[in-house]
Amino acid sequence: SQELEQSPQSLIVQEGKNLTINCTSSKTLYGLYWYKQKYGEGLIFLMMLQKGGEEKSHEKITAKLDEKKQQSSLHITASQPSHAGIYLCGAVFLYTQGGSEKLVFGKGTKLTVNP
Amino acid sequence: DTGVSQDPRHKITKRGQNVTFRCDPISEHNRLYWYRQTLGQGPEFLTYFQNEAQLEKSRLLSDRFSAERPKGSFSTLEIQRTEQGDSAMYLCASSLGWGTGNEQFFGPGTRLTVL
């Protein structure tokens, strides 16, 4: 079963509209990362959240991690065509000092922003 | 450009051939990761290096796969006797440390097509 569930799978919005993407885990996670990917390209790091209740913003994108550290949301305000792409959440589930802290990813949310 | 680089960007090969990919991490990063991404899925962890030591391997990494990081700088991923199921995007990521310093920065990927 998928350890990280992202919703929605795809999203089409009109330019200027706000939107939210969700990432849910059945287990408590150690760290939650958000990345953006253009088709056929690598991942661009957006934000990392570690503390329950933490919220970070960069330009028009805000990411939050709930108090239980099992759910995160990514909110884009006043979307622009440049926001289009695939948004991926990745989680570190196991933390041991010296461990790999490998990321487990959701399947991604494909965002289309129509001008 | 001081980001993670990967070479080649695209590789087309015939089934049964061997292929090798290279990853150059960000220069001061001692952690290096390989992931594999298939269409419509998030990246899946393959293996992890701390400096030159390969410390973790996924069960996805069959005997046909081998990875090295001989001097703790660049890394190579070799696939022997390629199969059509190996067709995927191979992504390399690097990070500086652990915990809050473990933001993983990804390269552009190598897209492998096995005919």
Side-chain angles (χ1 to χ4, degrees):
Chain A
S1 63
Q2 191 74 16
E3 291 185 90
L4 275 185
E5 295 285 343
Q6 274 190 248
S7 61
Q9 285 187 321
S10 65
L11 194 52
I12 302 173
V13 300
Q14 206 67 29
E15 182 177 0
K17 295 295 186 184
N18 302 338
L19 62 104
T20 299
I21 297 168
N22 294 301
C23 179
T24 302
S25 169
S26 57
K27 304 187 293 186
T28 300
L29 45 86
Y30 168 70
L32 192 288
Y33 297 70
W34 283 99
Y35 289 89
K36 178 185 175 184
Q37 185 176 32
K38 293 277 193 180
Y39 179 75
E41 298 182 8
L43 280 62
I44 300 168
F45 173 77
L46 296 175
M47 277 171 277
M48 170 189 168
L49 304 166
Q50 277 197 306
K51 299 176 183 176
E54 188 174 10
E55 179 175 323
K56 288 187 178 178
S57 294
H58 178 67
E59 297 180 342
K60 294 185 178 181
I61 300 176
T62 299
K64 300 178 185 180
L65 182 61
D66 75 334
E67 291 288 345
K68 287 186 177 181
K69 296 174 62 175
Q70 288 185 292
Q71 185 164 6
S72 179
S73 62
L74 188 80
H75 184 78
I76 299 177
T77 304
S79 58
Q80 301 168 352
S82 61
H83 287 126
I86 298 169
Y87 289 81
L88 290 153
C89 64
V92 176
F93 284 105
L94 179 62
Y95 168 64
T96 56
Q97 191 163 356
S100 70
E101 296 184 47
K102 62 189 175 190
L103 291 173
V104 175
F105 285 91
K107 291 187 176 183
T109 296
K110 182 180 177 183
L111 173 63
T112 303
V113 181
N114 290 326
Chain B
D1 191 305
T2 57
V4 179
S5 61
Q6 292 187 246
D7 183 69
R9 294 291 307 276
H10 302 274
K11 179 70 178 179
I12 299 174
T13 191
K14 292 182 179 179
R15 189 176 53 188
Q17 298 294 305
N18 299 342
V19 294
T20 300
F21 310 140
R22 177 180 170 123
C23 170
D24 286 89
I26 294 171
S27 59
E28 66 269 26
H29 285 185
N30 52 30
R31 293 183 156 218
L32 187 146
Y33 302 80
W34 285 98
Y35 292 84
R36 181 173 69 184
Q37 185 179 27
T38 53
L39 199 62
Q41 303 294 318
E44 293 176 294
F45 170 79
L46 291 178
T47 191
Y48 156 69
F49 289 86
Q50 171 85 28
N51 298 312
E52 68 276 7
Q54 187 176 19
L55 298 182
E56 187 171 346
K57 292 194 290 186
S58 162
R59 66 181 190 280
L60 293 175
L61 215 65
S62 76
D63 291 345
R64 297 183 298 106
F65 288 70
S66 62
E68 293 183 341
R69 195 183 182 196
K71 296 182 180 180
S73 56
F74 73 91
S75 175
T76 58
L77 178 67
E78 181 183 14
I79 308 174
Q80 295 183 326
R81 305 181 303 281
T82 52
E83 301 173 355
Q84 287 185 326
D86 297 332
S87 295
M89 174 79 90
Y90 289 84
L91 294 159
C92 175
S94 70
S95 70
L96 183 60
W98 53 273
T100 55
N102 197 38
E103 292 91 337
Q104 293 180 33
F105 295 93
F106 282 77
T110 295
R111 180 166 294 282
L112 173 66
T113 301
V114 181
L115 302 175

